[in-house]
Structure formats: structure tokens, C-alpha cells
Amino acid sequence: MTANRKVRHAPIGLFDSGVGGLSVYLHLAQQLPAEHYIYYADTLNVPYGNRDSEDIETLTLNAVEWLYQQGCKLIVIACNSASAYALDRARRCYPELPIVGLVPALKPAVLASKSGHVAVLATKATLNGTLLNDVISNVADPNGTLVTKYFDPQLVPWVESGMPVQDETAQRLRQRIQAFADDGVDQLVLGCTHYPFFKAFLLDEIARQQLSIQVVDSGQAIAERVKQLLVANQMSASLDSETKDYHSEVSSKTKVDISYPLTFHATKYSDRLGALVVRLLGRETVLQYHTE
Ligand code: DGL
């Protein structure tokens, strides 16, 4: 039976420790433009990657509860670190609610690797979590693929501060790419939702140094998974033809047709945050800030 109209028009919730999950939102907005999205950024507590598992679980369950209270029909935990420690628990707490989590896109990288050596760039929490380590045991190991894990605690703060290219973090990334190539890595997995925002920087660097490394992330696959779940649960907003009448805004940067403004909620606001969100999403993205 088709979900009722109220449910079909309920928002999709997205959660991340900061602005990283916006990289997932961009894929969702492109694939599912008729949907309405609410984003929760825990900017008060970012970064999560160095926190212990209980801390990450508690913060994540708070965020999921907040999105649930907003009436979301589906929630995406758009954070690999949070998914690693709280996805199972969140699903147990809200058995009726579809909850999608993130795991680094290691499986497609292993399948695409010709050299048999891939690298995963992620937070310490994600690298130690069972979601990723299960993929290593179940896919990489049986395939004979070597997986190098790499963690730089400054990467998330670098993205949150707008990715200044003169920063030491940028310099370390340039060197790291070269080192991966020297070690025979041919697939680099961006295992944190903040990292796709510097994918263009990495690709420029790879081209400049003439390295043969592919860069992969999970954004597209997550958007496809969300689409499947909406269809399977008959809760897709696009089931109603009237959604075509909603106003349409086009992000100049991403060429995304967005039917609704993005509702953005942060646990801590600043002028710098507002400017960063606009910069990451493209200047013409319409945002509605949500404060309580
Ligand atoms: N975007 C989060 C992730 O995917 C960043 C984690 C953090 O805050 O350290 O893991």
C-alpha cells in the first residue's frame, strides 16, 4: 500500500558532525529533487573522529532523535564515524524508520583495483570501527587486496575552516598522495563525508603529479540506496505529480535542481559557518536556518 500523502511529503533527515554530510546531500538533491531535506550539523561537538565510541553513540542518538521529532520519514547518518558506532543502536531504537548509514566505499575500490593495493582515508573512529573492518575481512582479504589505512586528525578541521590551500594540511595531503602512488596504491577511498569537498584538490594534484590513482567516495551509492528505500516503502515525494509545481532553484556550482530550500540546523552557529555552507553548496542554493 502507498504511504499516505503526509508521509510522502515528510522530510528526509541528514546528520553529520559538521558540514561533511552536505557532500551526501548534494547527491541526494540531484537524484531526488522532489524531496524536502533537513540537515543537522553537530558543530558544537565536531570533530567526532577522535572521540570514544560511547561518546559518538550518545551524540548520534541525540541527533537521530532530533530528526525523528521533526517528522523525518527516513534518516541518513551522513557520517562514517557516527555510523560505525551508532547505526545498529539507532535502527533498534526506531524499528519503523528506515535509517541509512555510511561505510567507506572500499568494496568497489577493491573490485576496481588493478594493483591490488588500495588506501582508505578516514577518521580514527571509522578506521577502527567494525563496519569498515568487516569489509576488509569479507572483501579485501579474500581478494588478496592490501588495504592501507590513513588518518590525519587535521582533515576534518581543515574542511570546516574552508580548506585554505596554503595550510600545512594541504601540503601533507600532496605528499601523502605521492607516497600512496609510490607504494602502488591505485584506488583512494574517501572514507569520511567531509573529504569529497577536497576531491577536486586531490584530482588536480593527481593530474599535476601524473599519478594513476582513482578517487572514490560513497555519495552516489547512498543516494541510490535512499531512492530504493523510498520506492520500496512507497514514500517517494515524486509519487505526487503536484511536486512538479513547486518552485525550482538551480545551484550554479552543482547544477542541482532543488525543489525545496534545505533546512539547516546546527548545534552552534557562526557567521563563518553560514559562509562555508553557502560556499560548499553553491551560492544559489536556498537555505533556511533552523533555530529553536
Ligand atoms: N563526516 C564525518 C565522517 O564521515 C566526520 C567525522 C568527524 O567529525 O571527525 O566520519
Side-chain angles (χ1 to χ4, degrees):
M1 204 184 80
T2 309
N4 69 37
R5 190 171 182 279
K6 195 165 165 237
V7 174
R8 290 197 303 278
H9 286 281
I12 292 176
L14 285 119
F15 154 64
D16 182 45
S17 56
V19 296
L22 293 173
S23 68
V24 179
Y25 163 73
L26 286 171
H27 284 280
L28 285 166
Q30 193 152 39
Q31 284 235 8
L32 299 162
E35 300 294 337
H36 180 185
Y37 299 91
I38 299 188
Y39 188 94
Y40 179 107
D42 192 7
T43 41
L44 185 63
N45 296 301
V46 67
Y48 278 16
N50 308 333
R51 292 177 179 274
D52 64 38
S53 53
E54 284 97 49
D55 223 5
I56 295 176
E57 186 184 88
T58 305
L59 293 169
T60 303
L61 292 176
N62 283 345
V64 171
E65 172 63 18
W66 189 90
L67 289 167
Y68 177 72
Q69 291 301 335
Q70 305 304 305
C72 292
K73 63 183 174 187
L74 180 150
I75 291 176
V76 181
I77 300 183
C79 174
N80 292 267
S81 312
S83 299
Y85 295 103
L87 180 60
D88 283 350
R89 181 84 192 278
R91 284 178 172 156
R92 282 201 301 277
C93 291
Y94 307 92
E96 303 296 317
L97 181 68
I99 302 182
V100 176
L102 262 89
V103 62
L106 178 59
K107 185 175 175 182
V110 165
L111 299 178
S113 176
K114 294 195 170 61
S115 67
H117 189 177
V118 308
V120 182
L121 211 61
T123 68
K124 195 159 74 178
T126 300
L127 293 177
N128 292 337
T130 46
L131 291 183
L132 175 68
N133 287 296
D134 283 352
V135 184
I136 294 178
S137 316
N138 298 331
V139 182
D141 291 349
N143 202 60
T145 302
L146 177 62
V147 178
T148 295
K149 295 175 173 178
Y150 180 76
F151 162 58
D152 179 339
Q154 288 312 313
L155 286 174
V156 168
W158 183 56
V159 174
E160 294 279 328
S161 69
M163 297 171 287
V165 283
Q166 306 306 336
D167 194 275
E168 282 174 9
T169 309
Q171 187 50 25
R172 269 201 308 285
L173 261 181
R174 291 187 187 99
Q175 289 162 353
R176 182 35 54 185
I177 287 286
Q178 174 75 65
F180 283 147
D182 291 346
D183 290 346
V185 167
D186 69 348
Q187 301 283 321
L188 174 60
V189 181
L190 302 182
C192 168
T193 52
H194 280 73
Y195 301 171
F197 286 118
F198 58 73
K199 189 169 178 178
F201 169 86
L202 290 175
L203 293 176
D204 280 354
E205 206 46 42
I206 287 167
R208 196 183 64 77
Q209 297 188 38
Q210 299 185 314
L211 311 175
S212 52
I213 296 186
Q214 306 287 320
V215 181
V216 285
D217 67 75
S218 328
Q220 183 65 23
I222 292 300
E224 276 157 24
R225 177 71 189 135
V226 169
K227 193 173 183 177
Q228 274 171 7
L229 282 171
L230 293 180
V231 170
N233 289 289
Q234 310 239 332
M235 0 157 126
S236 176
S238 62
L239 282 173
D240 288 333
S241 54
E242 73 219 60
T243 45
K244 290 191 192 107
D245 296 331
Y246 289 118
H247 80 282
S248 174
E249 297 289 339
V250 178
S251 158
S252 56
K253 199 166 162 190
T254 57
K255 303 279 184 286
V256 173
D257 263 318
I258 296 167
S259 301
Y260 291 95
L262 169 66
T263 304
F264 186 89
H265 171 77
T267 48
K268 185 177 158 204
Y269 285 98
S270 66
D271 289 347
R272 210 183 61 179
L273 174 67
L276 178 62
V277 170
V278 169
R279 178 178 153 198
L280 296 177
L281 293 182
R283 248 181 315 161
E284 288 169 46
T285 303
V286 182
L287 279 168
Q288 258 172 5
Y289 288 97
H290 183 285
T291 42
E292 269 147 338

